[in-house]
Amino acid sequence: MGRNGKSLYTQNDQSQIYRFNGIYQLPADFQLGINYLYTSTKRTGEDPFSPVYRIPYLEPQHVGSHFTGLSLETVKFGKRLHANVFLKHYGYRSSINDVILTTEYEVVNYQNEVANWGGGFAASYKLFNTLLLKSSVEQATRMPSPTEALGDGVTIVNNPLIKPEQSFNTNIGGVFGRYELGRSHGVKVAMNTFYRDVKDQLLFTIISGQGEGMYQNINKVSGAGAELDVVFD
């Protein structure tokens, strides 16, 4: 709130997204795929009625991420086997400016840059016409969103030192059916078991009595479970 209780806060986001996908057919039923994704957000704010130290994003904030993926796919044995091995590279960079009070108000710039590698393997095999087996293993990374890194200027505080979320995931399952039930109905059953081990999981945490919060990294979280889906048509 500015002088005389007035406020005319304006927040401006400039976002860019660039994407490239390509596929190259190799001999022996192999297919090479490559994809690239770049996203960036620059956020600024202004309010003619507020003192400068109260205006969120008065100094520009920036967050950007790169993703590059390379995959090799194949289909074998009369289309019974589908297999895919992939390699991924993740890059994250942020530049966050905060106005802090020492002997006077000054701007402090925080730079954060992180790069991670990931990859995995996924396969499915149709053992019978009514039985499909599938499994996957992956080392993955989830980049912080602009809101998670920069906040929203109201109740979510920025986190200059936020890190991408990393996870190791495995899945094993199968699809049974479709089994005919009468002349016009059938049932299909899908079962999946999974394990997930997450490092630096992003979690919104309240940090003040006024309800302000910040997205922070939790050191390590893991979990396992099973899913069962039954489809009747």
Side-chain angles (χ1 to χ4, degrees):
M1 194 69 70
R3 294 180 290 271
N4 301 319
K6 294 181 178 180
S7 177
L8 188 60
Y9 175 68
T10 302
Q11 179 175 301
N12 180 40
D13 279 10
Q14 298 179 12
S15 298
Q16 300 181 62
I17 300 176
Y18 301 99
R19 187 190 305 270
F20 169 80
N21 295 281
I23 296 175
Y24 183 74
Q25 192 67 44
L26 298 171
D29 296 324
F30 282 94
Q31 182 175 276
L32 183 68
I34 184 171
N35 55 80
Y36 173 78
L37 174 66
Y38 171 77
T39 63
S40 72
T41 298
K42 179 182 179 182
R43 181 170 294 174
T44 57
E46 58 183 1
D47 190 337
F49 298 108
S50 293
V52 293
Y53 60 86
R54 289 185 177 178
I55 302 176
Y57 314 118
L58 178 66
E59 295 293 328
Q61 321 283 311
H62 177 268
V63 60
S65 63
H66 297 262
F67 166 80
T68 305
L70 185 67
S71 66
L72 182 64
E73 300 180 48
T74 188
V75 179
K76 297 287 188 180
F77 309 124
K79 298 185 179 181
R80 287 182 174 272
L81 174 67
H82 293 252
N84 179 16
V85 61
F86 49 90
L87 180 67
K88 300 178 180 181
H89 181 265
Y90 307 86
Y92 169 81
R93 184 174 184 180
S94 65
S95 176
I96 297 177
N97 298 296
D98 268 349
V99 179
I100 65 171
L101 176 63
T102 53
T103 54
E104 60 183 10
Y105 286 100
E106 59 180 291
V107 176
V108 177
N109 178 257
Y110 299 91
Q111 298 279 343
N112 187 15
E113 187 169 357
V114 181
N116 291 323
W117 286 93
F121 175 77
S124 66
Y125 188 81
K126 195 169 187 178
L127 192 60
F128 306 109
N129 289 335
T130 56
L131 176 58
L132 175 71
L133 302 177
K134 55 183 182 178
S135 65
S136 66
V137 58
E138 180 182 11
Q139 177 68 39
T141 295
R142 186 178 78 81
M143 298 298 182
S145 69
T147 298
E148 290 170 333
L150 304 179
D152 65 357
V154 183
T155 60
I156 303 177
V157 180
N158 63 31
N159 184 352
L161 303 179
I162 198 170
K163 294 181 289 185
E165 182 180 293
Q166 301 181 65
S167 63
F168 176 76
N169 310 294
T170 61
N171 294 271
I172 299 176
V175 179
F176 305 87
R178 181 178 183 261
Y179 298 106
E180 298 290 340
L181 297 177
R183 293 183 178 181
S184 58
H185 297 287
V187 64
K188 180 183 289 188
V189 179
M191 183 177 64
N192 183 58
T193 59
F194 62 88
Y195 171 76
R196 190 166 189 249
D197 185 32
V198 184
K199 179 183 177 183
D200 295 325
Q201 183 177 16
L202 294 168
L203 180 69
F204 183 71
T205 307
I206 300 297
I207 60 174
S208 77
Q210 287 73 41
E212 289 183 326
M214 173 190 292
Y215 281 93
Q216 298 178 320
N217 294 105
I218 300 176
N219 185 33
K220 195 171 184 180
V221 178
S222 61
E227 301 171 329
L228 181 66
D229 291 325
V230 180
V231 178
F232 176 80
D233 58 27

